[in-house]
């Protein structure tokens, strides 16, 4: 410790002051002369002093002499203030720059020292260096700022992730494109509160984008965005072409510069930042996501980073929805096709339960789909109503679909079911197992058709052949018999003019005519079946044709009385119309022959023609008999091929073809044929044909 020579010192105090980490100096007033200072103080001073003032040379000298004025002045003001106020004065945390990169920080206090009279005679100045604290504090603040910065970055990242995750989640569970669009828009709106959001999906076949969900400005017009062609002036079409996000920092500026129209709704509503993200998924353009913000959008903004990430999941979701829709449509198309198939289609799931049956299947089985879906074979109404063709019951485990479920492939299995209305139905079924990609059977499909009619035609055809051969053989055998009689008679020297010979000759003629008619019918049948029946229309007098048929029938019909009735005209009138003569004769002959066949000897057969001038477009024929008649339930079938009524006496010959030919011929003349009949009382067959001169 250095003391002014006039100042008395105490050893202990001196030592204490020298050891103190604080610099202490005493300045006399009003001279501002440094009168005492400890080592610490002098060392501090030395930093600022010129060499010749260093190491205590300042003691006894006024502050103005040795301290640079920039430092001295504030201190002198402080001295004055402390002296005047009689209160200590503190300068905290002031700093001095020592060199370019060294700054020293101080805390300094000025303490007034009073004499006995209370006058301030000197100032005690204490200096403590706080550079370390200050730098530590600064470092701490810096660390704090960095941590804060990192915290903000992390918080932003966390939020960004949260948004991306929420968007991804919002699109996860929806495959319906509209719901999907609404979810996306709602989620983005909640996080970004933009002015507008538009989600478009691509329609590549139309080169256009279609709006699927939107958040519009109040007066926005969705229509103008609902369908945007790839070549339109909108930014979204540009974004698609460039494959990358299109960002406009401020639409308002662009509108002012005339780059975009001012009247665009988003511009008019004050939209600024704009981003359009083309949504690509696996090189497939799915659509665009466009957002307009009320604030400008910097290229490196968090919104852009987040939205770019979100776009990936939105594109994926749109792709899934698109594929799902395609698959659904394909399924629907297939369903429609299957529904319309004339064959019944039935699906069994892996558990053997019916999962689907098409309309034809329902129609064939006469049990509604609702009643069948979910049933297993053994629970099905047909479990106890199915039979093999030999009438042995078919066990449910033997049903074709059930067998297919166990891996069998069933071809053309025929069986019979008895339907709820008690009608029998013969089914032909094919069935195959359905397998998943790894080959495991996960269902079976059975395709079945109703072959009842086919079967009965088959049966009728078989019967027909046996009947036909019998029918053909009968007249031949008869003719052979008559010929043998003639041969025998001539060998005996008899003339052909004897009554026996003449009867034999008549027999031959009658049977050969019968044979001819049979063969004609068969020929006609075959022409119809091969679509070779042609109609040759010419003008004929119907009255004459009828008279001709009547006369020739009278010649061969000996057991019955034939009568002819003209209704609305006279026998000598003529009714000239276009008709195929041969077919007309065949129609009439077939009806008369049936009347002869199916009515007892001695009964009357009436042939009639009705023509009414008031209804000149048609004329009507009829053939009426007093025969066995036809049961009402047979009537709908007698005009079908090979059908013969079940109550027939089998000795009455016939092929079951005559009426079928009548109906075909009449239809080909644009006419109609029907019958009125009562069993045991007789039948009347009517034929109505158009009257025409051409
Ligand atoms: P068929 O050779 O058996 O006579 P059709 O086709 O001419 O064949 O007639 C079909 C069936 O219609 C006959 O088998 C018979 O049962 C019934 N039928 C036809 N005409 C008459 C009739 N005039 N009276 C009663 N039954 C008839």
């Amino acid at each position: 410790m250095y003391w002014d020579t006039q100042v008395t010192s105490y050893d202990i105090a001196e030592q204490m002051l020298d050891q103190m980490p604080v610099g202490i100096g005493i300045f006399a007033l009003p001279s501002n002369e440094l009168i005492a200072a400890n080592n610490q103080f002098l060392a501090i001073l030395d930093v600022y002093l010129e060499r010749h003032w260093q190491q205590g040379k300042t003691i006894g000298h006024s502050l103005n002499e040795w301290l640079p004025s920039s430092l001295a002045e504030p201190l002198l003001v402080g001295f004055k203030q402390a002296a005047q106020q009689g209160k200590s004065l503190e300068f905290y945390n002031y700093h001095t720059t020592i060199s370019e990169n060294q700054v020293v920080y101080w805390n300094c206090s000025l303490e007034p020292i009073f004499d006995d009279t209370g006058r301030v005679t000197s100032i005690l100045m204490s200096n403590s260096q706080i550079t370390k604290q200050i730098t530590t504090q600064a470092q701490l603040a810096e660390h704090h700022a960095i941590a804060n910065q990192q915290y903000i970055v992390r918080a932003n990242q966390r939020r960004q992730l949260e948004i991306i995750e929420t968007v991804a989640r919002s699109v996860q569970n929806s495959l319906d494109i509209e719901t999907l669009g609404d979810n996306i828009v709602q989620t983005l709106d909640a996080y970004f509160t933009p002015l507008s959001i538009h989600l478009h999906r691509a329609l590549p076949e139309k080169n256009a984008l279609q709006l699927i969900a939107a958040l519009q400005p109040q007066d926005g017009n969705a229509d103008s965005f609902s369908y945007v062609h790839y070549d339109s002036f909108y930014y979204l079409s540009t974004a698609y072409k460039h494959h990358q996000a299109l960002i406009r920092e401020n639409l308002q500026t662009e509108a002012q510069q005339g780059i975009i129209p001012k009247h665009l709704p988003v511009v008019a509503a004050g939209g600024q930042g704009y981003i359009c993200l083309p949504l690509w998924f696996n090189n497939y353009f799915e659509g665009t996501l466009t957002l307009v913000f009320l604030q400008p959008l910097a290229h490196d903004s968090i919104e852009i980073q987040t939205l770019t990430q979100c776009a990936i999941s939105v594109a994926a979701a749109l792709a899934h929805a698109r594929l799902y829709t395609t698959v659904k449509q394909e399924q629907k198309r297939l369903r429609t096709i299957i529904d319309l198939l004339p064959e019944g289609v039935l699906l069994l799931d892996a558990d053997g339960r019916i999962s689907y049956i098409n309309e034809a299947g329902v129609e064939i089985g006469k049990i509604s789909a609702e009643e069948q879906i979910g049933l297993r074979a053994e629970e099905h109404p047909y479990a106890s109503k199915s039979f093999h063709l030999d009438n042995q019951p078919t066990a449910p485990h033997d049903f074709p679909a059930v067998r297919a479920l166990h891996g069998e492939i069933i071809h053309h299995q025929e069986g019979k079911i008895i339907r709820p209305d008690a009608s029998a139905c013969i089914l032909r079924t094919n069935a195959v197992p359905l397998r998943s990609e790894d080959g495991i059977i996960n269902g079976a499909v059975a395709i079945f058709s109703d072959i009842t009619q086919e079967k009965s035609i088959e049966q009728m055809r078989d019967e027909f052949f046996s009947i036909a051969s019998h029918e053909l053989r009968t007249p031949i055998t008869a003719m052979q018999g008559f010929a043998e009689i003639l041969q025998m008679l001539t060998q005996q020297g008899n003339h052909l003019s004897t009554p026996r010979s003449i009867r034999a000759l008549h027999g031959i003629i009658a049977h050969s005519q019968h044979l001819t008619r049979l063969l004609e019918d068969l020929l006609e049948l075959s022409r119809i079946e091969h679509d070779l029946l042609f109609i040759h229309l010419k003008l004929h007098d119907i009255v004459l044709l009828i008279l001709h048929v009547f006369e020739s029938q009278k010649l061969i019909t000996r057991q019955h009385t034939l009568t002819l009735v003209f209704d609305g005209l006279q026998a000598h009138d003529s009714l000239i119309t276009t008709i195929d003569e041969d077919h007309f004769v065949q129609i009439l002959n077939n009806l008369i022959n049936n009347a002869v066949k199916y009515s007892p000897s001695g009964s009357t057969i009436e042939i009639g023609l009705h023509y009414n001038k008031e209804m000149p477009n048609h004329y009507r024929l009829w053939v009426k008999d007093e025969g066995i008649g036809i049961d009402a339930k047979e009537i709908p079938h007698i005009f079908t091929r090979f059908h013969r009524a079940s109550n027939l006496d089998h000795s009455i010959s016939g092929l079951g073809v005559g009426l079928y030919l009548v109906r075909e011929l009449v239809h080909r003349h644009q006419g109609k044929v029907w019958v009125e009949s009562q069993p045991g009382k007789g039948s009347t067959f009517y034929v109505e044909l158009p009257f025409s001169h051409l």
Side-chain angles (χ1 to χ4, degrees):
M1 184 89 192
Y2 296 87
W3 296 92
D4 187 277
T5 44
Q6 293 158 2
V7 178
T8 332
S9 63
Y10 296 98
D11 283 348
I12 297 169
E14 198 175 310
Q15 270 175 27
M16 267 171 60
L17 284 171
D18 268 344
Q19 294 312 312
M20 277 175 77
V22 181
I24 291 174
I26 300 170
F27 289 88
L29 291 181
S31 63
N32 301 325
E33 187 181 310
L34 178 62
I35 50 174
N38 69 355
N39 286 334
Q40 198 68 26
F41 190 88
L42 294 176
I44 294 166
L45 273 189
D46 284 354
V47 176
Y48 303 99
L49 298 181
E50 287 172 19
R51 186 175 283 270
H52 62 273
W53 285 114
Q54 288 176 356
Q55 289 177 354
K57 307 263 176 17
T58 47
I59 305 275
H61 293 279
S62 172
L63 186 72
N64 327 26
E65 285 177 59
W66 41 266
L67 199 62
S69 62
S70 60
L71 292 173
E73 265 159 32
L75 279 178
L76 291 175
V77 173
F79 284 0
K80 222 175 191 173
Q81 201 177 328
Q84 274 171 4
Q85 293 175 354
K87 277 200 290 189
S88 64
L89 201 74
E90 305 210 332
F91 297 89
Y92 285 116
N93 193 4
Y94 75 93
H95 68 273
T96 46
T97 309
I98 296 166
S99 65
E100 214 173 287
N101 42 18
Q102 200 191 353
V103 180
V104 182
Y105 294 89
W106 304 101
N107 268 353
C108 168
S109 75
L110 302 176
E111 192 75 41
I113 300 173
F114 302 91
D115 66 4
D116 295 343
T117 63
R119 201 171 54 93
V120 178
T121 53
S122 53
I123 295 286
L124 182 113
M125 179 174 169
S126 60
N127 275 318
S128 55
Q129 217 198 92
I130 53 161
T131 311
K132 209 162 178 185
Q133 288 97 309
I134 291 292
T135 39
T136 317
Q137 224 172 47
Q139 274 168 0
L140 265 177
E142 203 176 316
H143 283 151
H144 206 80
I146 292 170
N148 218 12
Q149 188 71 24
Q150 282 172 349
Y151 175 78
I152 291 169
V153 169
R154 268 196 221 109
N156 279 340
Q157 281 172 345
R158 227 179 297 125
R159 187 169 161 76
Q160 206 175 337
L161 277 176
E162 190 192 339
I163 299 171
I164 296 165
E165 226 179 275
T166 316
V167 170
R169 233 180 297 117
S170 78
V171 297
Q172 219 170 46
N173 297 326
S174 180
L175 286 167
D176 161 62
I177 194 104
E178 267 86 32
T179 321
L180 189 79
D182 288 344
N183 286 352
I184 293 169
V185 167
Q186 272 171 26
T187 315
L188 293 179
D189 181 32
Y191 279 108
F192 295 104
T193 49
L195 173 68
S196 75
I197 305 173
H198 288 93
L199 180 64
H200 285 84
R201 74 157 156 205
L203 302 176
E205 67 283 1
K206 295 195 173 137
N207 272 348
L209 290 156
Q210 185 195 22
L211 187 67
I212 47 175
L215 168 80
Q216 303 274 351
Q218 289 283 297
D219 51 352
N221 179 7
D223 285 352
S224 56
F225 286 114
S226 62
Y227 199 81
V228 177
H229 200 270
Y230 288 170
D231 292 332
S232 79
F233 71 90
Y234 288 120
Y235 281 144
L236 50 171
S237 54
T238 320
Y240 156 60
K241 281 179 213 142
H242 293 181
H243 271 239
Q244 57 192 13
L246 191 128
I247 299 151
R248 315 308 300 175
E249 278 194 34
N250 197 337
L251 293 180
Q252 297 298 323
T253 326
E254 302 209 350
Q256 271 152 27
Q257 291 167 355
I259 301 172
I260 52 167
K262 281 186 183 147
H263 62 75
L264 282 181
V266 284
V267 175
Q272 297 199 16
Y274 173 98
I275 179 166
C276 176
L277 295 140
L279 304 168
W280 287 90
F281 187 75
N282 283 349
N283 288 333
Y284 189 97
F285 178 56
E286 300 290 346
T288 55
L289 176 63
T290 314
L291 281 90
V292 177
F293 296 88
L294 280 164
Q295 68 278 8
L297 198 60
H299 276 74
D300 56 354
S301 68
I302 185 139
E303 282 89 349
I304 291 178
Q305 289 168 21
T306 315
L307 284 168
T308 312
Q309 292 296 316
C310 290
I312 298 169
S313 46
V314 174
L318 286 186
H320 285 156
R322 176 175 53 81
L323 294 174
Y324 177 77
T325 314
T326 317
V327 171
K328 273 271 152 205
Q329 277 169 352
E330 197 50 38
Q331 269 180 355
K332 207 171 149 196
R333 213 167 63 89
L334 261 177
R335 248 310 135 90
T336 316
I337 294 171
I338 294 174
D339 270 343
L340 294 175
L341 277 181
E343 281 87 17
V345 178
L346 179 139
L347 291 182
L348 286 192
D349 63 16
D351 287 346
R353 294 186 187 279
I354 297 176
S355 58
Y356 170 78
I357 182 158
N358 71 346
E359 279 171 30
V362 168
E363 185 52 37
I364 293 169
K366 303 268 187 256
I367 297 176
S368 73
E370 294 73 46
E371 283 173 87
Q372 301 187 61
I373 303 287
L375 295 186
R376 298 166 65 92
E378 57 272 21
E379 301 157 350
H380 198 277
Y382 282 128
S384 58
K385 300 248 186 246
S386 296
F387 304 88
H388 295 287
L389 286 188
D390 59 5
N391 289 332
Q392 289 299 312
T394 312
H397 62 76
D398 234 5
F399 287 178
V402 178
R403 283 167 58 195
L405 199 61
H406 292 102
E408 256 186 272
I409 293 176
I410 316 287
H411 282 300
H412 292 328
Q413 180 171 308
E414 292 182 359
K416 193 162 70 175
I417 51 170
I418 304 296
R419 297 194 277 218
D421 63 2
S423 63
C425 173
I426 301 175
L427 299 179
R428 181 182 291 141
T429 310
N430 291 304
V432 285
L434 297 173
R435 295 176 192 272
S436 60
E437 270 174 22
D438 47 12
I440 294 169
I441 296 178
N442 57 8
V445 57
I447 298 174
F448 53 99
S449 43
D450 175 358
I451 56 161
T452 318
Q453 214 177 350
E454 195 182 308
K455 276 276 161 193
S456 74
I457 289 175
E458 235 173 65
Q459 197 184 343
M460 279 195 277
R461 197 182 287 261
D462 291 347
E463 282 170 19
F464 167 78
F465 280 117
S466 74
I467 294 169
S469 60
H470 169 76
E471 288 290 315
L472 293 170
R473 229 179 292 122
T474 311
I476 293 169
T477 318
M479 283 192 291
Q480 207 175 346
F482 287 124
E484 279 167 9
I485 291 170
L486 279 178
Q487 192 185 34
M488 192 188 73
L489 288 173
T490 46
Q491 274 169 2
Q492 288 170 355
N494 289 321
H495 278 286
L496 284 175
S497 55
T498 61
R500 274 191 79 189
S501 305
I502 290 170
R503 266 206 308 281
L505 279 172
H506 274 303
I508 290 175
I509 292 168
H511 285 289
S512 74
Q513 280 175 340
H514 180 56
L515 191 62
T516 311
R517 279 201 304 275
L518 277 178
L519 290 172
E520 265 170 14
D521 278 359
L522 288 175
L523 259 174
E524 211 68 305
L525 178 71
S526 128
R527 283 194 200 107
I528 289 173
E529 289 201 332
H530 295 94
D531 216 9
L532 290 169
L533 185 90
F534 302 111
I535 306 287
H536 303 286
L537 292 179
K538 278 194 185 145
L539 284 174
H540 290 285
D541 182 357
I542 292 295
V543 177
L544 272 185
L545 287 182
I546 291 176
L547 278 169
H548 174 73
V549 172
F550 178 72
E551 293 304 332
S552 33
Q553 281 288 353
K554 246 177 121 172
L555 278 179
I556 50 169
T557 310
R558 309 213 163 175
Q559 321 284 340
H560 296 81
T561 312
L562 293 190
T563 60
L564 184 59
V565 176
F566 288 106
D567 181 21
L569 32 68
Q570 304 294 317
H572 48 79
D573 285 347
S574 55
L575 192 64
I576 297 173
T577 179
T578 50
I579 192 89
D580 182 316
E581 181 185 1
D582 291 345
H583 290 147
F584 182 83
V585 172
Q586 196 175 2
I587 291 168
L588 218 49
N589 275 336
N590 281 5
L591 294 176
I592 298 168
N593 290 337
N594 278 352
V596 171
K597 261 200 304 190
Y598 301 112
S599 59
S601 300
S603 62
T604 303
I605 294 168
E606 182 183 287
I607 298 150
L609 170 66
H610 167 83
Y611 180 70
N612 184 351
K613 287 212 175 75
E614 282 161 18
M615 290 172 68
N617 294 332
H618 293 95
Y619 58 97
R620 187 181 291 174
L621 308 167
W622 71 88
V623 176
K624 182 180 178 190
D625 64 50
E626 301 165 343
I628 58 171
I630 306 164
D631 203 284
K633 70 175 186 333
E634 292 286 349
I635 288 181
H637 307 293
I638 56 169
F639 292 97
T640 49
R641 250 174 336 176
F642 314 133
H643 185 88
R644 308 200 73 211
S646 51
N647 62 339
L648 275 191
D649 173 352
H650 284 288
S651 64
I652 306 174
S653 67
L655 294 173
V657 174
L659 286 183
Y660 169 70
L661 291 179
V662 168
R663 192 189 61 175
E664 285 298 312
L665 295 174
V666 169
H667 283 178
R668 280 160 207 240
H669 279 83
Q670 271 71 53
K672 48 186 185 179
V673 56
W674 69 100
V675 64
E676 285 168 8
S677 182
Q678 264 192 309
K681 296 219 165 129
S683 317
T684 308
F685 283 85
Y686 295 95
V687 172
E688 195 171 81
L689 289 166
F691 181 79
S692 127
H693 289 295
L694 243 188

